[in-house]
Amino acid sequence: MAMVMPAQATVEASGEQGFVTLQSVVIDADASTVYGLLASPGRWWSDSHTFSGDSANMTMDLRAGGCFCETLPGAGGPAGSVEHARVVFVQSGKRLRLTGALGPLQTEAVTGALDLALEPVGKSVRVSMTYVVGGYFRSDARALAPLVDHVLGEQLAGLKRAAEAPPS
């Protein structure tokens, strides 16, 4: 099993009203495999960064207008749902772009653009994730930037683990 290397991460810019984070990781899989995994966030998103506590409740529809959503289970059926982001750009195997305020950012008057770019590197693929967030924050956005950066790094590491896992 290949050693899982952490994503390269940085808060590129931050101010009172927004921030930019950048993550990058090389995954030992082809772009088509990695891109296909994006449609199954339950296989790579962290349970601890969901509203339901279980990433298996998450889906992503890889088409413009598609939803990166989560079902909130209840006794006897769904008790609710969450739209984490909306898909706005799809270029299969190369790029995926979503807009939305992830997680606790939903309680602020902000939005974000999450861009995932896939670039072949030999027999592997580099996935670069940029998240640009701006709007009205009730507190200084600079304090949230490193936390959001860390959480997104966890998700990118999860994508790498899922893509590199041996077939079951």
Side-chain angles (χ1 to χ4, degrees), residues 11-53:
V11 174
E12 290 285 300
S14 65
E16 289 181 21
Q17 300 303 313
F19 55 86
V20 179
T21 68
L22 175 62
Q23 305 279 339
S24 179
V25 68
V26 174
I27 299 176
D28 293 329
D30 61 77
S32 177
T33 298
V34 173
Y35 193 84
L37 267 174
L38 293 174
S40 301
R43 293 183 54 198
W44 54 271
W45 197 269
S46 168
D47 290 340
S48 62
H49 294 291
T50 66
F51 286 93
S52 67

Side-chain angles (χ1 to χ4, degrees), residues 28-147:
D28 293 329
D30 61 77
S32 177
T33 298
V34 173
Y35 193 84
L37 267 174
L38 293 174
S40 301
R43 293 183 54 198
W44 54 271
W45 197 269
S46 168
D47 290 340
S48 62
H49 294 291
T50 66
F51 286 93
S52 67
D54 186 353
S55 63
N57 294 318
M58 301 178 86
T59 59
M60 190 173 325
D61 184 1
L62 299 183
R63 63 179 177 80
C67 188
F68 174 30
C69 289
E70 179 178 358
T71 300
L72 302 176
S81 60
V82 179
E83 179 179 287
H84 293 281
R86 176 79 33 202
V87 176
V88 295
F89 183 88
V90 173
Q91 189 175 18
S92 186
K94 295 182 178 183
R95 179 164 249 122
L96 178 65
R97 191 171 299 131
L98 304 97
T99 58
L102 298 174
L105 296 176
Q106 287 187 345
T107 63
E108 302 298 320
V110 303
T111 192
L114 181 66
D115 187 68
L116 294 133
L118 287 71
E119 174 189 3
V121 178
K123 292 184 178 181
S124 301
V125 64
R126 177 184 319 282
V127 179
S128 299
M129 177 191 293
T130 305
Y131 192 39
V132 181
V133 178
Y136 180 78
F137 286 84
R138 291 175 285 179
S139 60
D140 194 330
R142 289 177 284 222
L144 290 174
L147 302 172

